[in-house]
Amino acid sequence: MPTEKGVVIKVDATTAWVTTTKTSSCEGCAAKSSCTTLGGGKEMEVEAINDIGARIGQKVVLQFHTSPLLKATFLLYVVPILFLILGAFIGDQAAPRFDMDPSTCSVIVGFVFLGISIKFVKSKGNKLAQKDAYRPKIVRILKDSVDIQNRQEMC
């Protein structure tokens, strides 16, 4: 399971927003669209599950489960291609019934199926985004941030 370090910048009852440094592994991540790049630089803001009660200013470790990300990647990239191919095949086979050019019918039906797949992926993606398995989770508060925060509270 991949992990990242970051600093908590905002919290609410169950989630925390963490600023992390963008790494090269972010480019291949299926969930990179759920991260917000700040100012176009190397920093990003990630909404994470905060079951351990991290507070603003603390350095934390985030963990991502790879299995749900692979499922999301398949849904996002493979399903639309399969729908497009299926639509093109159906259009090619149905063209003689409608007295159309097979290529034209194939393109039209293929793009209709692609549009249907995009609506399906968007709907399914919104449902999956609500599940905790598809969100990063704060798994540990780094000790050096706790020491710094305790010193600030003493002053």
Side-chain angles (χ1 to χ4, degrees), residues 70-85:
L70 290 174
K71 290 176 188 175
T73 301
F74 180 83
L75 179 69
L76 185 62
Y77 294 109
V78 178
V79 168
I81 292 170
L82 292 176
F83 269 67
L84 177 66
I85 292 170

Side-chain angles (χ1 to χ4, degrees), residues 3-137:
T3 60
E4 287 290 332
K5 294 177 185 172
V7 178
V8 178
I9 57 170
K10 184 172 125 181
V11 295
D12 67 15
T14 58
T15 58
W17 285 260
V18 180
T19 301
T20 64
T21 303
K22 196 173 190 179
T23 62
S24 60
S25 62
C26 291
E27 292 305 315
C29 179
K32 71 180 178 181
S33 63
S34 66
C35 298
T36 306
T37 303
L38 303 174
K42 286 218 165 243
E43 286 189 343
M44 331 186 284
E45 185 180 307
V46 180
E47 184 179 351
I49 299 166
N50 186 14
D51 289 340
I52 63 172
R55 297 181 306 221
I56 295 174
Q58 291 182 315
K59 292 182 182 178
V60 295
V61 176
L62 298 171
Q63 189 172 52
F64 303 87
H65 293 281
T66 54
S67 176
L69 291 179
L70 290 174
K71 290 176 188 175
T73 301
F74 180 83
L75 179 69
L76 185 62
Y77 294 109
V78 178
V79 168
I81 292 170
L82 292 176
F83 269 67
L84 177 66
I85 292 170
L86 178 65
F89 177 76
I90 291 171
D92 186 59
Q93 298 301 311
R97 290 184 185 175
F98 299 106
D99 196 32
M100 290 180 70
D101 176 49
S103 296
T104 304
C105 190
S106 193
V107 168
I108 293 169
V109 177
F111 280 114
V112 167
F113 271 58
L114 180 63
I116 291 168
S117 75
I118 290 171
K119 289 207 176 271
F120 170 75
V121 167
K122 186 174 181 179
S123 170
K124 187 74 171 170
N126 288 339
K127 289 178 186 174
L128 292 177
Q130 303 302 317
K131 294 183 178 183
D132 287 348
Y134 291 86
R135 297 173 55 202
K137 183 177 184 177

